[in-house]
Amino acid sequence: MDLDLQARIPVNRYRPSAPLEVELVSTTRLTPAGSPNDVRHLVLRWPKEEFSFLEGQSVGIVPPGHNARGRPHPVRLFSIASARAGEDGDGRTLALLVKRFFWTVPDTGEVIPGLCSNHLCDARPGDVLRMTGPVGREMVPDDWTAPMILVATGTGIAPFRGFLQARDRLARRDRAPVLLVYGAQTAGDLCYAGWLDGLAASDPTLWVAYARSREETTADGRRLYVQDRLALCADVAWPLLRDPRCGIYLCGLRGMEDGVDAALAATAMAHGGDWPALRQALHAEHRYRIEVY
Ligand code: NAP
């Protein structure tokens, strides 16, 4: 990463002990009512205080209350889903993409709502939330003129919405080619798909490809995942991948990492490329960025 840029990335301006109070401006469920996945787009606004961030960074949300030992709950991190100018272009808002989470106690089978995701998904416009950060350098692009291959599963699309918002604000001649491969269970679970389709339809250097795992299958009958779709996009991916400045960004589920690596290897080999050398350069030059959970 460019060391100058690294030094200029804003980090940790607000900490859990003194978080920034932000107002929830709007909350919109993006997934259909019938989907078991309740995923919401939240817009937060801060009034006067200075808070700046870059595409690919995250913020923390401090859940209300205390744990059994009387200590404040730890912050939960969420990727910022906006470009640095925010949702209104005035640099005082940002969007988060939040999935309502439940976990099951292994011994009893009891279903417990996740503290922070439910706090956020239940919040109403006008509510005040406590925010920390920004944090994270790993997913902050340092060369917007370089081609990018973006691979997202589920709410891992969040930072890439910020990337593509930023790209959309660039003059056409300054936009590098981008391939986004995005996976969700069904078409209805693909957040921002209408917006993404609109961007791609008006920009010949942006390709968006989806993997709908519960609606599409591979040739051998498995659920179709992002790595399978990426392999099917080899002819689009190869000219980007072979560019010595190409950046690859993965965000979402940990399980996709090996499959994406294999799909990139197959893409390179199908086009006569030397994948081990390419892969080595991608990692050595910090052009292969991964944020998975
Ligand atoms: P999800 O709905 O559970 O899954 C998204 C898609 O990925 C589904 O189609 C799923 O298929 C598929 N999938 C499952 N296993 C896979 C594998 N091994 N390889 C490739 N695809 C696979 O996703 P989610 O609940 O939104 O979770 C996304 C992850 O991103 C979470 O771990 C979250 O912490 C992380 N994340 C979130 C943010 C944020 O800001 N909210 C930011 C960064 C990362 P099937 O279910 O049909 O098997």
Side-chain angles (χ1 to χ4, degrees):
M1 175 182 262
D2 174 332
L3 290 179
D4 272 356
L5 176 89
Q6 195 161 24
R8 282 184 276 114
I9 293 178
V11 280
N12 278 326
R13 171 141 193 200
Y14 291 90
R15 295 173 182 275
S17 53
L20 176 63
E21 295 203 329
V22 296
E23 181 189 340
L24 179 66
V25 177
S26 62
T27 170
T28 313
R29 179 169 167 146
L30 299 185
T31 45
S35 168
N37 302 310
D38 179 1
V39 181
R40 292 186 160 265
H41 174 82
L42 273 60
V43 177
L44 311 180
R45 170 177 286 279
W46 47 98
K48 295 189 230 52
E49 292 90 338
E50 280 288 312
F51 183 90
S52 57
F53 62 89
L54 296 176
E55 298 80 10
Q57 288 196 289
S58 299
V59 291
I61 297 293
V62 188
H66 296 83
N67 65 17
R69 291 198 212 143
R71 300 224 176 95
H73 294 294
V75 300
R76 306 293 201 279
L77 293 180
F78 295 87
S79 296
I80 299 169
S82 309
R84 66 189 78 179
E87 294 298 293
D88 298 338
D90 65 358
R92 283 173 48 210
T93 53
L94 58 77
L96 301 180
L97 185 66
V98 183
K99 181 174 181 177
R100 195 185 282 276
F101 181 72
F102 295 91
W103 54 282
T104 307
V105 181
D107 294 341
T108 62
E110 189 187 358
V111 176
I112 312 246
L115 183 68
C116 200
S117 69
N118 280 272
H119 165 57
L120 287 172
C121 288
D122 289 337
R124 308 285 16 121
D127 285 358
V128 172
L129 303 166
R130 295 179 298 160
M131 188 171 87
T132 65
V135 295
R137 298 170 190 270
E138 179 65 10
M139 295 293 278
V140 177
D142 51 2
D143 185 358
W144 286 94
T145 66
M148 292 181 186
I149 297 176
L150 313 176
V151 187
T153 46
T155 53
I157 191 65
F160 302 147
R161 179 177 182 268
F163 286 23
L164 295 178
Q165 259 188 358
R167 182 179 185 277
D168 193 44
R169 288 168 184 167
L170 293 174
R172 255 171 209 280
R173 64 174 181 281
D174 296 330
R175 294 183 198 168
V178 172
L179 167 64
L180 167 68
V181 181
Y182 172 24
Q185 291 177 347
T186 67
D189 293 313
L190 288 164
C191 299
Y192 312 121
W195 177 73
L196 292 168
D197 291 342
L199 287 183
S202 62
D203 185 342
T205 60
L206 172 65
W207 294 267
V208 176
Y210 301 118
R212 294 175 287 119
S213 60
R214 306 284 171 106
E215 295 174 344
E216 298 179 285
T217 49
T218 59
D220 57 355
R222 290 177 294 105
R223 288 176 184 171
L224 188 111
Y225 283 158
V226 280
Q227 51 268 42
D228 305 306
R229 178 60 70 207
L230 179 59
L232 293 169
C233 293
D235 289 347
V236 174
W238 175 241
L240 280 61
L241 182 59
R242 71 186 299 192
D243 186 308
R245 295 179 310 138
C246 178
I248 297 174
Y249 298 80
L250 269 58
C251 190
L253 295 170
R254 185 172 297 285
M256 71 173 161
E257 267 181 88
D258 291 347
V260 167
D261 211 75
L264 293 171
T267 297
M269 286 187 293
H271 291 85
D274 179 351
W275 173 242
L278 266 178
R279 188 175 189 280
Q280 207 258 335
L282 281 162
H283 284 287
E285 293 159 19
H286 198 212
R287 291 187 288 116
Y288 201 150
R289 314 279 186 90
I290 301 174
E291 193 159 280
V292 290
Y293 299 92

